[in-house]
Amino acid sequence: MKQRQLGSTGPTVATLGLGLMGMSDMYGPADETESIATVHAALDAGINLLDTGDFYGSGHNELLLSRALKGRDRDQVVISVKTGALRDPAGGFVGVDTRPATLKNALAQTLRKLDTDHVDIYRPARLDPAVPIEDTVGAIAELVKEGYVRHIGLSEMGSDTLRRAAAVHPIVDLQIEYSLISRGIETGVLPTARELGIGITAYGVLSRGLISGHWTKSREKGARDFRAHSPRFSGDNLDRNLALVDALRAVAEAKGATPAQAAIAWVASRGEDIVPVIGARRRERLSESLGALDLELDAADLAAIEAAVPVETVAGERYDAHQMALLDSEQG
């Protein structure tokens, strides 16, 4: 599998990464045996960037990853861990805490759950408005110096925060939503990241399944499924967005591809500094996503894809109003 470097100072990873969140949280029940088999299939295919979070399933996801990596060569895997989000026993989100002591305590537990002596990329999941980013990055920099962390990443941060963070310690990548229907980073955040030598690990490349070609209006969403509360999956918004998917399907099929493959390939085409992180929970979805790497898109193909899904016609924000207000990346 072809590889790309994360930023100017980061590790080399496969062109696609695998995000594990859905194996524990946010999208309803998942089959653990199938989840582990999917991780194994990803590793066998050459994917080496595995993304998790200590708050995914309140620790379940890290334990799952630990089980999946048993018998595998740890040095061949790049583990990315997000931290800082707080959960309650019912699974709700109750805030963000990225104080230095909190981060160090969280990492100690992460290392134990992952059964490893280091994390390759450690990142705050969101900006903590009560803690200067310099303090957060400074604390992780100490963990880098001590050998517990290899690299520092960020998630959903805006341009000003990127500059302040990079002034403290090299930042290898910014994990942020980027897809055909979520292109807000193109005007400010992406140019800033490139100026600073910070790579992009793009999550939500299929918009949580919305533009995968597999979502239908009749599909039921459980109460614990994030999409039950997502504006883009609600009411008339869903109808309008699925019409865009139909247009994308026509373009994709003309290339012998699926909508998901076209959407992933489009993100991968945006630059060698961008690594799409797919959220496949099953081997069949992983296999489909891997097919995007074989899809050759020229300028006309890319233009046709963008014409099929004009970003200005997308209905609904990517989060509800409360969550959008918490995104530093949406503030500039």
Side-chain angles (χ1 to χ4, degrees), residues 47-318:
I47 290 176
N48 63 335
L49 175 63
L50 302 178
D51 182 75
T52 182
D54 59 19
F55 53 92
Y56 291 168
S58 298
H60 174 270
N61 206 242
E62 291 178 321
L63 293 170
L64 175 75
L65 178 55
S66 177
R67 288 192 287 274
L69 293 179
K70 292 296 184 187
R72 298 280 176 159
D73 185 348
R74 171 66 181 87
D75 292 336
Q76 298 302 310
V77 182
V78 176
I79 299 177
S80 164
V81 178
K82 288 186 289 298
T83 190
L86 305 178
R87 307 292 294 269
D88 63 23
F93 286 87
V94 294
V96 176
D97 185 351
T98 65
R99 292 174 295 173
T102 302
L103 293 179
K104 293 178 179 181
N105 178 69
L107 181 64
Q109 297 181 51
T110 283
L111 295 175
R112 179 61 63 90
K113 284 179 285 186
L114 289 175
D115 191 23
T116 185
D117 62 357
H118 72 279
V119 165
D120 297 285
I121 308 173
Y122 201 48
R123 70 182 81 243
R126 294 290 187 270
L127 180 67
D128 184 342
V131 180
I133 191 63
E134 291 85 354
D135 291 356
T136 298
V137 172
I140 304 177
E142 292 178 10
L143 295 168
V144 171
K145 185 176 181 180
E146 293 164 357
Y148 298 116
V149 171
R150 295 288 190 264
H151 305 281
I152 302 178
L154 297 174
S155 178
E156 291 289 354
M157 304 292 182
S159 294
D160 179 64
T161 303
L162 288 180
R163 294 185 188 282
R164 291 168 54 194
V168 176
H169 189 279
I171 305 298
V172 296
D173 73 318
L174 172 68
Q175 191 174 106
I176 194 165
E177 186 166 352
Y178 188 37
S179 72
L180 270 169
I181 66 172
S182 295
R183 298 179 61 177
I185 72 169
E186 293 178 345
T187 56
V189 172
L190 181 55
T192 300
R194 285 175 167 162
E195 174 191 335
L196 297 171
I198 297 173
I200 298 291
T201 41
Y203 76 88
V205 293
L206 296 180
S207 301
R208 300 166 178 83
L210 179 59
I211 61 173
S212 67
H214 301 295
W215 195 268
T216 63
K217 187 176 181 180
S218 61
R219 182 167 169 174
E220 294 187 5
K221 303 181 288 289
R224 298 294 293 273
D225 191 323
F226 164 85
R227 294 166 293 198
H229 314 285
S230 170
R232 290 181 174 171
F233 287 83
S234 303
D236 291 341
N237 286 351
L238 180 58
D239 291 330
R240 292 165 60 187
N241 292 330
L242 289 179
L244 296 177
V245 178
D246 287 339
L248 175 62
R249 189 190 312 277
V251 175
E253 289 181 348
K255 293 289 295 182
T258 67
Q261 290 168 342
I264 295 168
W266 180 87
V267 174
S269 78
R270 306 309 288 173
E272 291 293 317
D273 55 349
I274 296 175
V275 175
V277 177
I278 57 175
R281 300 193 293 173
R282 303 196 306 275
R283 282 168 287 181
E284 63 183 282
R285 292 289 184 257
L286 171 67
S287 179
E288 180 183 15
S289 296
L290 288 167
L293 300 178
D294 298 322
L295 184 57
E296 296 184 4
L297 300 175
D298 60 23
D301 296 325
L302 294 170
I305 289 172
E306 293 175 16
V309 189
V311 68
E312 65 273 10
T313 65
V314 177
E317 299 284 359
R318 56 193 181 106

